[in-house]
């Protein structure tokens, strides 16, 4: 007898994380190379003696802290095991068989996986020639079956970000029964004043009676907690209530909650690190441009090299130099901004490839 599983999962692509190779410089997963702050590590260590107890399933203290910091009611917040899990919950809460979820492509690699697992149909809209989201084409792709639209800004893996006027024009044109999710995993690295804060923008729409705008944030990137997994959604009460209904109990572990709270306590220090990353981002991009690479403007903690068919060769060249980047075969390579010495090693490898 053969065990029966879902036939549609046979062609489901697996999520491909950035590789970790002992002794190599890892610039593949958009992590913060400096690591968590000592105060955060101390808080985690002190909380470790209490891990025999279940965590607060609703992360009440963290919700309360974020509510005050973001100036939104607690009822408009939902916490999850990393923003990718909140993405999953949003899809599950809005979409099923016969429904559609729309997003630009290439964008966050988990979107198509989460949509297919939920049994909904995915609609991928190609990026513009400038490697940004094609909002006009995305609007044209919305149908009566569309339930949710992911707007990843800055976009992963290209780093391009949407400015206020174009994002507002898009939201204004989306039917008000379709949830627009502004995925802002890299918000803390944005230095373009024309790129809006998604949460503040969402508040403006809520005040006008448009409750279909939701925002995702994470502690994995700027806060350096990728290994503990904490993310959150800010949305209307109708959306957050539905998201919480599909929540896996105790999904955010106790140490993750403590670390997130400690990180908020040290936010000013962490944001200094973000500013340092942004400065390095500019140096890395300028150097790559001087080497002859095409590098789209980026507002994230990585750069995108649209290498096309040269991607695999570039990836192998970097691996030979013990540098791990995130290669998307046939499309390009995403390279995390690391410590200055890590970036120098990558730039030397990139120069060597450009010279071949």
């Amino acid at each position: 007898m053969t065990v029966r599983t879902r036939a549609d999962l046979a062609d489901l692509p697996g999520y491909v994380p950035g590789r970790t190779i002992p002794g190599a410089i890892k610039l593949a997963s958009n992590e913060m190379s400096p690591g968590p702050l000592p105060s955060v590590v101390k808080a985690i260590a002190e909380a470790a003696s209490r891990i025999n107890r279940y965590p607060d399933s609703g992360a009440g203290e963290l919700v309360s802290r974020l509510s005050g910091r973001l100036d939104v009611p607690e009822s408009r917040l939902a916490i999850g095991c990393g923003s990718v899990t909140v993405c999953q919950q949003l899809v599950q809460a809005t979409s099923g068989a016969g429904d559609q979820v729309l997003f630009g492509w290439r964008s966050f690699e988990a979107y198509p996986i989460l949509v297919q697992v939920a049994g909904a149909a995915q609609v991928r809209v190609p990026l513009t020639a400038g490697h940004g989201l094609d909002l006009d084409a995305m609007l044209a792709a919305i149908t009566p079956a569309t339930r949710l639209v992911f707007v990843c800004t800055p976009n992963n893996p290209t780093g391009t970000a949407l400015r206020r006027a174009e994002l507002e024009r898009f939201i204004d044109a989306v039917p008000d029964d379709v949830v627009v999710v502004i995925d802002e995993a890299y918000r803390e690295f944005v230095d373009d004043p024309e790129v809006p804060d998604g949460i503040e923008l969402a508040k403006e729409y809520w005040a006008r009676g448009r409750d279909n705008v939701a925002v995702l944030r994470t502690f994995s990137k700027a806060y350096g907690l990728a290994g503990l997994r904490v993310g959150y959604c800010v949305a209307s009460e109708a959306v957050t209530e539905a998201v919480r209904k599909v929540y896996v109990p105790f999904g955010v572990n106790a140490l993750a909650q403590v670390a997130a709270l400690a990180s908020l306590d040290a936010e000013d220090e962490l944001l200094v690190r973000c500013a340092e990353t942004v400065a390095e981002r500019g140096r890395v991009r300028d150097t790559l441009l001087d080497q002859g690479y095409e590098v789209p403007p980026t507002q994230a903690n990585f750069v995108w090299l649209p290498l096309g068919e040269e991607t695999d060769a570039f990836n192998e060249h970097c691996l030979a130099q013990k540098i791990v980047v995130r290669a998307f075969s046939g499309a390009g390579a995403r390279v995390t901004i690391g410590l200055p010495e890590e970036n120098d090693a990558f730039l030397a490898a990139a120069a060597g490839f450009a010279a071949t």
Side-chain angles (χ1 to χ4, degrees), residues 57-80 86 89-90 199 203 206 213-219 230-245 247 264:
S57 192
E61 188 175 356
L62 181 55
V63 168
S64 176
R65 183 78 68 84
L66 287 170
S67 171
R69 177 182 173 276
L70 302 172
D71 191 26
V72 296
E74 293 186 15
S75 59
R76 288 180 176 259
L77 280 157
I79 310 293
V86 189
Q89 292 168 235
L90 281 162
I199 293 176
K203 290 179 191 177
W206 300 340
V213 182
V215 183
L216 290 174
R217 295 272 180 90
T218 182
F219 284 86
V230 187
Y232 59 95
C233 173
V234 184
S236 67
E237 292 180 359
V239 172
T240 54
E241 181 181 359
V243 165
R244 284 190 288 269
K245 285 182 178 179
Y247 175 70
L264 290 175

Side-chain angles (χ1 to χ4, degrees), residues 51-136:
I51 59 172
N52 58 309
R53 303 295 182 186
Y54 282 103
D56 175 359
S57 192
E61 188 175 356
L62 181 55
V63 168
S64 176
R65 183 78 68 84
L66 287 170
S67 171
R69 177 182 173 276
L70 302 172
D71 191 26
V72 296
E74 293 186 15
S75 59
R76 288 180 176 259
L77 280 157
I79 310 293
C81 182
S83 61
V84 65
T85 297
V86 189
C87 283
Q88 180 183 40
Q89 292 168 235
L90 281 162
V91 173
Q92 291 174 326
T94 60
S95 309
D99 297 327
Q100 295 176 347
V101 176
L102 187 150
F103 45 88
W105 194 255
R106 177 172 296 271
S107 193
F108 183 34
E109 192 178 2
Y111 293 157
I113 300 171
L114 301 177
V115 174
Q116 185 169 337
V117 169
Q122 55 179 283
V123 178
R124 305 187 190 190
V125 178
L127 302 183
T128 66
H131 310 286
L133 298 178
D134 189 336
L135 296 183
D136 289 337

Side-chain angles (χ1 to χ4, degrees), residues 232-281:
Y232 59 95
C233 173
V234 184
S236 67
E237 292 180 359
V239 172
T240 54
E241 181 181 359
V243 165
R244 284 190 288 269
K245 285 182 178 179
V246 295
Y247 175 70
V248 176
F250 310 112
V252 182
N253 71 68
L255 298 185
Q257 293 183 41
V258 166
L261 288 165
S263 295
L264 290 175
D265 289 337
E267 186 172 48
D268 289 346
E269 190 174 353
L270 285 166
L271 293 182
V272 168
R273 289 184 172 185
C274 291
E276 293 170 348
T277 297
V278 169
E280 274 294 287
R281 178 182 75 197

